[in-house]
Amino acid sequence: MSAPLVWARRRRTAARLWRAYRTQRAGLCGLAALALIGVLALAAPLLVDPDIQQVTGAPGEPLEAPGARFWLGTDQFGRSLLELLLVGARVSLAVGLLAAALSVAIGTVAGILAGHYGGWFSTVLMRVTDWFLVMPALVLAIVLATVMSRGLWTVIIAIGVTSWPTTARLVRAQTIAVEARPYIERARALGGGHGHIMGRHVLPNVMPLVLAQTTLGISAAILTEATLAFLGLGDPEVISWGGMLQDARAAGAVSSGHWWYLAPPGLAIALVALAFTLCGRAVERVLDPGRGAGR
């Protein structure tokens, strides 16, 4: 099939999926929220003081309540919480996206390999997967973040390598179902090798599942990043929503009643996690209406 025909078919498929997605009101609300947050995060360098990370010479008073000058108040150094929130959105979203992508990539490769080859190889790989499943992912992430050097990539790797088993299980089951279809037997009879079968036939059929799992995994990755930062295991040189919560705790915002220090990053984390979850559920219903309706 020629390239123009392939791209035309893909455009028609994308248009059909978008028409189906638009019928999901909750998914549209989640997508609108993510679009707004994404635009604000991208525009943060234009909206925020370039010296916002400096703890000296801040424009406000420490722990100033919300008002006309600082809409969300200030932190313990006198920095605007609104500006910190915009800067933190860039880091939290980037870590969530990259960690979810790493997790889904590992799970997809493991699931396709296990489902395709089967036998003892699949058994060993699935036992490794089971070990990661029974171990608390947050505990493993804390251990990795503790023994590795502190930084954003450490957090991304810690989240990615501890949250892939669910994807691997789902992709393996889908791979087995795909390889049971007649056209896979015809491809093998025509001389298709393992790489051809997995890359040209299995992977395109599991991609809808991978897409839905990625969307759902981003919210979990953002929550995990916030938890690690709150525990003091994030990068201390960058501003993130979890780091803001950790700073608020260290400044005694809970005991002193400075609610405006805790509320903005906490609500932002909850909003983004909810938005990604709504989008993920909507994608699931669009790609598999029977499965989505049964939930």
Side-chain angles (χ1 to χ4, degrees):
M1 185 179 295
S2 63
L5 290 177
V6 172
W7 283 108
R9 187 174 64 179
R10 290 177 179 176
R11 285 194 296 269
R12 288 195 299 269
T13 301
R16 185 173 64 254
L17 292 176
W18 171 242
R19 287 194 299 270
Y21 187 91
R22 286 187 300 178
T23 63
Q24 305 291 327
R25 294 184 179 180
L28 285 178
C29 292
L31 186 61
L34 291 178
L36 176 60
I37 295 171
V39 170
L40 292 175
L42 292 175
L46 304 176
L47 304 174
V48 174
D49 184 354
D51 298 326
I52 188 64
Q53 297 198 28
Q54 301 296 326
V55 297
T56 58
E61 296 295 327
L63 297 174
E64 186 176 337
R69 186 183 180 192
F70 300 105
W71 293 356
L72 299 181
T74 63
D75 67 353
Q76 73 269 37
F77 303 111
R79 299 177 297 179
S80 170
L81 285 176
L82 178 58
E83 294 186 1
L84 291 174
L85 200 68
L86 293 176
V87 174
R90 297 170 64 89
V91 175
S92 295
L93 290 176
V95 171
L97 290 169
L98 293 174
L102 176 60
S103 170
V104 170
I106 296 174
T108 301
V109 172
I112 290 178
L113 291 176
H116 176 77
Y117 287 104
W120 66 268
F121 179 80
S122 176
T123 301
V124 172
L125 194 53
M126 285 300 99
R127 296 298 78 78
V128 174
T129 304
D130 291 340
W131 184 84
F132 275 94
L133 276 174
V134 299
M135 289 292 293
L138 180 59
V139 175
L140 291 176
I142 291 174
V143 171
L144 289 177
T146 302
V147 299
M148 299 171 66
S149 60
R150 296 177 65 179
L152 285 181
W153 284 108
T154 296
V155 174
I156 292 170
I157 293 172
I159 297 173
V161 301
T162 57
S163 56
W164 57 269
T166 302
T167 302
R169 280 280 181 188
L170 293 174
V171 171
R172 174 181 176 271
Q174 185 70 9
T175 300
I176 293 174
V178 169
E179 296 210 357
R181 297 173 183 173
Y183 69 87
I184 298 295
E185 292 296 331
R186 291 196 296 268
R188 289 197 179 98
L190 293 173
H194 295 295
H196 176 81
I197 298 296
M198 290 186 289
R200 296 295 299 274
H201 298 290
V202 175
L203 183 59
N205 282 280
V206 303
M207 281 306 296
L209 177 64
V210 171
L211 176 61
Q213 193 65 21
T214 302
T215 310
L216 294 171
I218 293 173
S219 61
I222 291 176
L223 291 173
T224 304
E225 184 277 331
T227 303
L228 293 176
F230 179 76
L231 295 174
L233 299 176
D235 190 344
E237 298 182 357
V238 300
I239 299 172
S240 69
W241 292 339
M244 292 176 64
L245 289 176
Q246 199 276 338
D247 291 340
R249 181 192 62 81
V254 177
S255 57
S256 59
H258 296 128
W259 57 267
W260 60 86
Y261 201 169
L262 291 167
L267 291 175
I269 293 170
L271 175 61
V272 171
L274 176 61
F276 273 113
T277 300
L278 291 177
C279 290
R281 297 303 183 192
V283 170
E284 277 190 331
R285 294 186 181 96
V286 168
L287 298 177
D288 191 353
R291 183 180 177 185
R295 293 190 172 187

